[in-house]
Amino acid sequence: MLIPVLIGITLCIFLIMHMLPGDAISSMLGIEETPEARQRLEEQFGLDLPWYKQYWNWISRVLQGDFGNSLRTDKPILPEMLSRFKLTFELTLLAAAISWIIAIPLGIISALKRNTWVDGVVRVMSLIGVSVPNFALATLLILVLSLGFSYYPPVGYESFIENPAVNLQIMILPAFVLGAIMSGSVMRMTRSSILEVLRQDFIKAVRAKGASEKIVIFVHALKNGMIPIITLIGMQIGSLLGGTVVTEQIFSLPGLGQMVLTAINQRDYPVVQACIMFIAFIYVIVNLIVDILYTYIDPRISYK
Amino acid sequence: MHVLLKNLMKDCLGRIGLLGVLVVVVLSLLAPVIAPYEPTDMFSKNILNPPGSKFIFGTDEFGRDIFSRVIFGARVSLIVGIISVGIAATSGYILGLIAGYFEGNVDNVIMRLMDVLFAFPSILLALAIVSVLGPNLSNTMIAIGIVSTPVFTRTVRASVISVKSMEYITSAKAIGLKPLDIIMKHISPNIMAPFMVQVTLALSGAILTEASMSFLGLGIQPPNPSWGSMLNASRSYMELAPWTAIFPAIFIICTILSFNILGDSLRDILDPKLKL
């Protein structure tokens, strides 16, 4: 099923981007637009061909690792996309880690202390987590830090390898914003999943055997309750990658999200097309990895 | 409906959610009556005024009343939410019914198409569609409608498949009812519960996507009021005039929270198996 979906993604994004192919040429030429200049550029970019030929040409080049050149800078798209993806990847990974650190322990505690005030607080926190938009949280956080603590998030970017301390200082706030938002749904899923597992007979059997509560929770309940949590985390990677568009914009981080947004504003369609396709591919592949992970977590699941 | 409302009122969180949603609906409907000024009125002598008796939420960088803009912003958010979820729910409902009832190749084609749409982060796909169609209110609604369709298709299809195996559907087939009659009279009423829960949750998602798109400058265009674009504009003056950021942020958060609480409570009432 993976291959048809991947082909579908390329076709979908290609068709969306080619609904109005003339606009990119118009915006490139500006006031110097003449029929001759337009024709010359259309021929240069292959825009005079029928759409299926354009698609075929594009996809053949993509399969060879050539995502084309930017209409604005005329530079190849792939190297810039990859270098910016490093930042977005780091941001996504940090955000995911922060959300797990917050959400999984709180979800477990909430399930264990069901219907107590602790459970109530955690449930309200998770509801707020799923309801607060990342840009609103980011704006309010910057406001509180700047007015209350005279702290201003650093601008610019240094890679982790070059300067780990500065890198973490830059990344921690955006990663926290993304992670806090994601933790809401992970917390809810952990709670319901653990509650579901705790009701099952094998947990009674483990308890009857005289195992300590630690063993019951961490060895038996958590391992068996991990499948829905991991599924959710896989699905969340998509919204995290989407969320980076907004977060990178707010914190002026030169990642893939900012590259897409700049390209959309400049009507640089080849860049928009390449970046969105790249992100969708990563999302599909992450979910494939999640599917494969199931077999390790739960050996009863096997793909034949 | 009456029983549903009664059950909802029994639940404390359900009451809060319903109240929050009602407040947003009333604010949107009565915006011209409640708002003291037009959302685009500029008071050049009152630029970035703090909250006070004349402007209860203060004014923005053009001297516009933030309270009026926030109230009219509720109207924009709700319109975008209702119309885009209307587009998504209608198309998702029809596609889900067809896929679930007929199964086989039709199901395969529809669901693979939905898988493709599902593979894009929704905000990115919506931005791509708007970048081609042009950023304005109607295109924002179309874009959000398209990206919200797969979730409805999946929900409806799953419900149809489970209802289809019931004995009363087999009986309906046995007495020779046409597929359309079976779908409309016997399947549709029985899949309404998960569908309605999805509608409520999708409304909060649509409002959130609209606010994010407007925040990025690719949704509702100025001078029309939108919570997202208000928050974006406030970033330049945030330290000088924090009220320009605080009030739109509070309204976005409370509205989405209300819809989510209502959706959760409805799910608990209509589909107790899924209780989180």
Side-chain angles (χ1 to χ4, degrees):
Chain A
M1 275 303 121
L2 186 72
I3 305 291
V5 170
L6 290 181
I7 294 172
I9 288 171
T10 58
L11 201 57
C12 179
I13 195 69
F14 181 84
L15 289 178
I16 291 174
M17 286 298 125
H18 280 71
M19 276 196 266
L20 282 175
D23 263 17
I25 302 283
S26 300
S27 77
M28 270 176 85
L29 289 169
I31 49 166
E32 291 163 16
E33 186 175 347
T34 59
E36 294 76 34
R38 165 174 277 277
Q39 197 186 354
R40 189 167 38 82
L41 277 181
E42 278 185 351
E43 278 169 15
Q44 187 188 332
F45 293 115
L47 295 174
D48 53 336
L49 298 171
W51 72 267
Y52 52 88
K53 281 192 181 163
Q54 286 185 44
Y55 172 73
W56 180 250
N57 289 344
W58 174 65
I59 204 70
S60 327
R61 285 199 305 268
V62 166
L63 286 174
Q64 295 166 41
D66 175 13
F67 281 73
N69 288 7
S70 156
L71 289 180
R72 291 275 159 182
T73 59
D74 206 30
K75 284 182 186 160
I77 297 169
L78 187 64
E80 194 184 352
M81 203 159 67
L82 290 178
S83 88
R84 281 176 178 254
F85 179 64
K86 280 181 205 155
L87 185 152
T88 305
F89 182 68
E90 187 193 343
L91 183 61
T92 311
L93 221 58
L94 271 175
I98 289 174
S99 83
W100 300 336
I101 293 167
I102 301 174
I104 295 180
L106 283 178
I108 295 171
I109 294 170
S110 175
L112 295 178
K113 308 264 179 198
R114 197 185 180 192
N115 296 334
T116 61
W117 67 269
V118 182
D119 183 27
V121 171
V122 174
R123 290 181 75 186
V124 170
M125 270 172 68
S126 66
L127 246 163
I128 293 175
V130 291
S131 305
V132 179
N134 51 12
F135 62 88
L137 179 65
T139 312
L140 292 178
L141 204 64
I142 295 173
L143 192 67
V144 169
L145 290 175
S146 61
L147 290 181
F149 302 94
S150 300
Y151 174 80
Y152 299 90
V155 184
Y157 178 69
E158 295 242 9
S159 82
F160 185 78
I161 299 163
E162 283 167 16
N163 199 338
V166 176
N167 173 276
L168 284 178
Q169 214 185 336
I170 293 166
M171 300 297 272
I172 199 73
L173 216 53
F176 174 77
V177 168
L178 274 176
I181 302 293
M182 185 180 159
S183 64
S185 41
V186 179
M187 224 184 279
R188 280 149 69 102
M189 187 54 88
T190 310
R191 178 181 181 276
S192 65
S193 182
I194 296 289
L195 277 177
E196 185 67 39
V197 172
L198 286 177
R199 274 190 218 123
Q200 293 189 13
D201 286 343
F202 74 89
I203 294 287
K204 282 183 199 148
V206 175
R207 284 200 172 122
K209 218 167 60 172
S212 71
E213 201 59 10
K214 257 187 204 162
I215 303 261
V216 172
I217 304 300
F218 292 103
V219 178
H220 298 277
L222 193 58
K223 199 175 173 193
N224 282 283
M226 270 323 256
I227 294 273
I229 303 170
I230 290 198
T231 311
L232 180 76
I233 289 169
M235 286 170 75
Q236 288 275 351
I237 297 290
S239 53
L240 268 184
L241 286 168
T244 56
V245 180
V246 184
T247 319
E248 286 173 8
Q249 181 69 8
I250 298 173
F251 292 97
S252 310
L253 292 172
L256 200 55
Q258 206 187 47
M259 188 176 169
V260 178
L261 203 64
T262 314
I264 287 176
N265 284 324
Q266 294 180 337
R267 295 183 171 260
D268 194 345
Y269 294 126
V271 176
V272 179
Q273 191 169 285
C275 291
I276 294 185
M277 192 187 73
F278 186 70
I279 292 174
F281 267 38
I282 288 170
Y283 179 48
V284 171
I285 288 163
V286 166
N287 279 292
L288 177 73
I289 295 170
V290 166
D291 279 354
I292 296 167
L293 268 181
Y294 289 162
T295 53
Y296 288 97
I297 297 167
D298 190 344
R300 285 169 299 183
I301 299 172
S302 67
Y303 301 108
K304 282 177 186 163
Chain B
M1 192 67 193
H2 181 69
V3 178
L4 183 70
L5 208 63
K6 218 170 126 184
N7 278 328
L8 204 60
M9 293 308 282
K10 270 188 211 162
D11 179 25
C12 174
L13 273 178
R15 279 202 300 269
I16 296 174
L18 189 64
L19 185 74
V21 170
L22 280 177
V23 169
V24 179
V25 172
V26 170
L27 283 181
S28 331
L29 289 176
L30 302 179
V33 183
I34 299 170
Y37 309 100
E38 281 295 309
T40 46
D41 280 355
M42 294 188 214
F43 300 91
S44 51
K45 287 181 186 162
N46 296 292
I47 286 171
L48 294 177
N49 263 19
S53 56
K54 193 175 175 195
F55 303 104
I56 54 170
F57 286 178
T59 58
D60 66 6
E61 71 276 20
F62 294 110
R64 294 174 299 197
D65 178 37
I66 291 179
F67 179 67
S68 305
R69 287 184 69 73
V70 162
I71 302 286
F72 276 94
R75 180 178 263 203
V76 172
S77 283
L78 211 62
I79 290 174
V80 173
I82 291 170
I83 297 185
S84 53
V85 171
I87 295 171
T90 314
S91 46
Y93 194 79
I94 296 170
L95 290 171
L97 272 177
I98 296 172
Y101 189 82
F102 295 104
E103 295 187 71
N105 285 338
V106 185
D107 178 33
N108 251 330
V109 171
I110 293 176
M111 292 325 286
R112 290 306 75 77
L113 193 68
M114 292 303 123
D115 283 348
V116 168
L117 286 180
F118 225 67
F120 294 98
S122 55
I123 177 96
L124 265 184
L125 188 57
L127 287 177
I129 295 170
V130 161
S131 76
V132 171
L133 298 178
N136 60 40
L137 181 68
S138 50
N139 291 341
T140 305
M141 294 189 292
I142 294 171
I144 300 174
I146 293 173
V147 301
S148 313
T149 302
V151 69
F152 281 101
T153 311
R154 283 188 176 186
T155 312
V156 172
R157 177 183 173 269
S159 311
V160 171
I161 288 175
S162 79
V163 169
K164 216 176 74 172
S165 59
M166 299 280 177
E167 280 176 5
Y168 63 86
I169 300 293
T170 318
S171 315
K173 278 183 189 163
I175 58 168
L177 280 186
K178 287 176 187 157
L180 194 66
D181 284 335
I182 298 176
I183 290 174
M184 298 313 287
K185 288 184 189 158
H186 300 286
I187 294 182
S188 272
N190 288 300
I191 59 168
M192 271 300 148
F195 182 70
M196 288 316 293
V197 172
Q198 195 53 55
V199 166
T200 326
L201 293 173
L203 271 170
S204 73
I207 293 172
L208 178 67
T209 311
E210 180 277 312
S212 306
M213 289 167 76
S214 300
F215 182 83
L216 295 171
L218 287 161
I220 314 299
Q221 297 299 301
N224 294 323
S226 154
W227 293 335
S229 57
M230 286 172 78
L231 209 53
N232 185 32
S234 77
R235 286 165 61 210
S236 319
Y237 314 93
M238 218 156 54
E239 269 184 82
L240 194 68
W243 54 89
T244 55
I246 292 170
F247 293 110
I250 290 175
F251 270 75
I252 300 175
I253 295 169
C254 290
T255 305
I256 297 173
L257 192 61
S258 303
F259 275 104
N260 277 340
I261 294 174
L262 185 66
D264 266 13
S265 302
L266 278 179
R267 183 179 45 206
D268 291 351
I269 295 165
L270 296 171
D271 200 349
K273 278 179 290 181
L274 289 172
K275 194 165 183 168
L276 288 176

